[in-house]
């Protein structure tokens, strides 16, 4: 994947806004995202679409707030599908999400340092 | 103004909370974070925020439910609730608003939008607070007004109901708070057994209208019990109201003096609709028209206190009302009107239920309106009954004071210089109850006699001087100088009174004789002028030139008022005889 997931302009604004808490924000995002994905996968296994929906919704929000729109869009798809109780291809989407998040995490770590 | 705002926000995503916190804190506000709806409610109670931001989808308790719970809290304050949402479907948005939300802040967060909405709603909250405080102030003020009116009404009721209103001699209808509409009805029995009734309608509403009722009622009752006539009472009340009421405020009134014994009514009316007298013999109504301006408008000089006299028979009735009857409005705003009332009177004349019929008709017209019952109606039936006053015991006791008596008062020059005997003599005459109705007149008579004795007899002044304005001033300056210089001379009052008859037939004669040590005015022999008919006011018989010069207009006055006037030679000795009777003419 050659394109960056990150929007440097958006991140720049946030850095201004958060000041010395910017690193904390990034760290919190990563931890929060990690946790949500874990719950998401578990929920899928338990066929708990409500939880899938909720966690996808949460990660969508925080991704978009950080300008990581691709990640946000994928979460949105998953959220809608879970809401509509449509299991077709849901498992693949969630797998894609895990991968994308891993990539995003690396980029963020590189950005932060 | 917006510094120091506390913003409570509920957002389940940790990074999002951080962002919100930064935006809020950077703007100078106090940030209170919460993870979900439940935590938000706890934080609300603890921190009392000015604004609340709620995410919609949160675990444990979402934003919509939290909003509902917050709105259920009892509070006079308005706390804006803004929903943070990425939801776009209308149903969800409607649900937020119906739960009590005021607006939405879209996600992802835009700092400008967020702060602008917080600012707007903070201003709305402030306005709401101001309005609330003003509303409370208004409510407090209203409470005070009502309390004041209640007290005023209690005071007024004490005064108003000391008469014979409830003794069964008349029927009246007034709303309980009529005094605040300016309406007043008072009635009492005079010492001679007449019933005096006064219906008044003051201009204005509320306390200003009620204020005038107090002096009116106290004056009325005070004077009726002392035997004053309608003329005297109207004159006195007019003067009081003229003095105290502001320009533009006055009292329309009708005052009746009903004498069963003499089968007549005397009345004075100013400004009210004409009282209606029903003659049962002729089966028709006769209006007792208002002849005068209302009370409180004219000064004493211009006030007309003349009364009209109408005879009555048993079975007759007099109806009085204020114009509240005409002006009673139905829910559409139409007035009941004068024509309606008159045609009702015509239809139901002679009916013993006419009073109730009138009330029924007016109340029917007004319907279930929220307006207060604002009409005053009085019916006085003329029946063969004796009016008994609650105060008759007191009156009888008073009658037993000065009956047959005489007194002599001599004043030497030294006293005459500084002492005015007239108030003293007036006070003594006040002790003869039968003379009360004639107080004013008697005072004028005595003043005339005394001034002649003093100024002409002792000081030698010529009253012709008073005819021009400059002469007038000169006269009084000369009087003052001569009085100061007076060394010798004296004036003697000899006053006698004899009572005749009893009860309603009581009467008496008062003799007042004034003698001064002056030279007199060339009257050669004693002269007595008799006034055989006291009703002949101002009828002058050919008068001796000396006498006319001596008395000026004074003789005419004395003759018209007194039963007889006796002048003894050489003219420094004048005696009048004044007769009174408990019933007037």
């Amino acid at each position: 994947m050659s394109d960056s997931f990150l929007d440097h302009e958006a991140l720049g604004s946030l850095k201004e806004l958060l000041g010395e808490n910017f690193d904390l924000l990034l760290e919190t995002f990563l931890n929060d995202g990690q946790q949500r994905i874990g719950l998401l996968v578990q929920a899928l296994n338990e066929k708990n679409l409500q939880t899938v929906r909720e966690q996808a919704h949460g990660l969508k929000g925080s991704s978009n707030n950080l300008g990581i729109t691709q990640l946000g869009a994928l979460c949105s798809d998953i959220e809608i599908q879970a809401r509509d109780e449509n299991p077709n291809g849901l498992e693949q989407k969630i797998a894609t999400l895990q991968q994308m998040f891993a990539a995003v995490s690396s980029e963020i770590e590189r950005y932060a340092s | 103004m917006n510094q120091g705002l506390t913003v409570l926000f509920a957002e389940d995503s940790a990074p999002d909370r951080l962002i919100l916190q930064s935006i809020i804190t950077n703007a100078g506000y106090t940030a209170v974070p919460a993870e979900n709806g439940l935590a938000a409610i706890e934080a609300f109670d603890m921190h009392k925020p000015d604004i609340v931001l709620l995410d919609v989808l949160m675990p444990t308790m979402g934003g919509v439910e939290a909003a509902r719970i917050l709105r259920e809290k009892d509070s006079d304050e308005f706390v804006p609730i803004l929903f943070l949402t990425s939801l776009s479907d209308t149903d969800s948005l409607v649900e937020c608003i119906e739960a009590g939300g005021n607006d939405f802040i879209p996600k992802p967060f835009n700092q400008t939008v967020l702060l602008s909405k917080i600012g707007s709603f903070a201003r709305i909250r402030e306005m709401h607070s101001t309005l609330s405080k003003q509303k409370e102030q208004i409510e407090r003020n209203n409470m005070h007004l009502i309390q004041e009116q209640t007290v005023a009404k209690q005071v007024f009721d004490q005064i108003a109901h000391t008469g014979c209103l409830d003794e069964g001699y008349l029927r009246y209808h007034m709303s309980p708070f009529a005094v605040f509409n300016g309406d007043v009805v008072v009635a009492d029995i005079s010492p001679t057994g007449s019933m005096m009734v006064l219906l008044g309608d003051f201009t204005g509403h509320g306390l200003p209208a009620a204020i005038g009722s107090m002096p009116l009622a106290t004056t009325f009752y005070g004077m009726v019990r002392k035997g004053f006539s309608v003329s005297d009472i109207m004159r006195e009340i007019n003067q009081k109201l003229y003095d105290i009421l502001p320009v533009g405020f006055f009292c329309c009134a009708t005052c009746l003096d009903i004498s069963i014994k003499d089968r007549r009514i005397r009345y004075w009316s100013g400004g009210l609709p004409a009282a209606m007298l029903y003659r049962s013999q002729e089966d028709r109504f006769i209006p007792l028209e208002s002849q005068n301006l209302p009370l409180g408008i004219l000064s004493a000089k211009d006030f007309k206190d003349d009364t009209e006299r109408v005879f009555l028979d048993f079975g007759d009735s007099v109806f009085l009302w204020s114009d509240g009857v005409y002006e009673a409005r139905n829910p559409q705003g139409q007035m009941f009107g004068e024509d309606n009332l008159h045609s009702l009177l015509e239809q139901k004349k002679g009916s013993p239920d006419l009073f109730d019929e009138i009330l029924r008709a007016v109340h029917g017209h007004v319907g279930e309106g929220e307006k207060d019952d604002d009409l005053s109606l009085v019916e006085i039936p003329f029946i063969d009954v004796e009016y008994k006053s609650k105060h008759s015991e007191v009156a009888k006791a008073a009658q037993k004071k000065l009956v047959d008596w005489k007194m002599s008062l001599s004043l030497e020059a030294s006293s005459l210089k500084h002492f005015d005997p007239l108030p003293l003599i007036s006070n003594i005459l006040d002790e003869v109850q039968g003379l009360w109705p004639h107080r004013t007149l008697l005072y004028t008579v005595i003043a005339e006699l005394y001034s002649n004795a003093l100024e002409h007899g002792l000081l030698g002044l010529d009253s012709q001087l008073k005819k021009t304005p400059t002469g007038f001033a000169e006269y009084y300056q000369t009087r003052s100088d001569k009085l100061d210089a007076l060394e010798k001379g004296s004036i003697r009052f000899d006053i006698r009174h004899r009572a005749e008859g009893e009860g309603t037939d009581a009467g008496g004669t008062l003799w007042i004789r004034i003698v001064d040590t002056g030279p007199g005015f060339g009257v050669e022999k004693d002269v007595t002028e008799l006034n055989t008919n006291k009703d002949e006011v101002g009828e002058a018989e050919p008068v001796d030139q000396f006498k006319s010069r001596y008395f000026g207009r004074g003789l005419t006055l004395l003759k018209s008022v007194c039963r007889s006037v006796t002048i003894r030679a050489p003219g420094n000795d004048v005696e009048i005889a004044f007769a009174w009777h408990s019933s007037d003419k």
Side-chain angles (χ1 to χ4, degrees), chain A residues 14 16-18 24-25 28-29 32 36 53 57-58 60-62 64-66 79, chain B residues 11-16 18-19 22-23 26 55 57 59 86-87 107-109 111:
Chain A
L14 282 172
E16 247 188 83
L17 176 64
L18 276 278
L24 177 62
L25 176 64
T28 309
F29 171 73
D32 186 75
R36 286 194 187 274
R53 181 187 172 190
H57 175 84
K60 173 187 83 177
S62 48
N64 285 334
N65 267 334
L66 261 67
E79 181 192 354
Chain B
E11 167 60 71
D12 69 314
S13 159
D16 290 356
L18 266 176
I19 295 173
S22 296
I23 295 176
N26 286 0
D55 191 14
L57 289 172
S86 52
L87 297 171
K107 291 199 205 182
F109 302 133
Q111 183 173 3

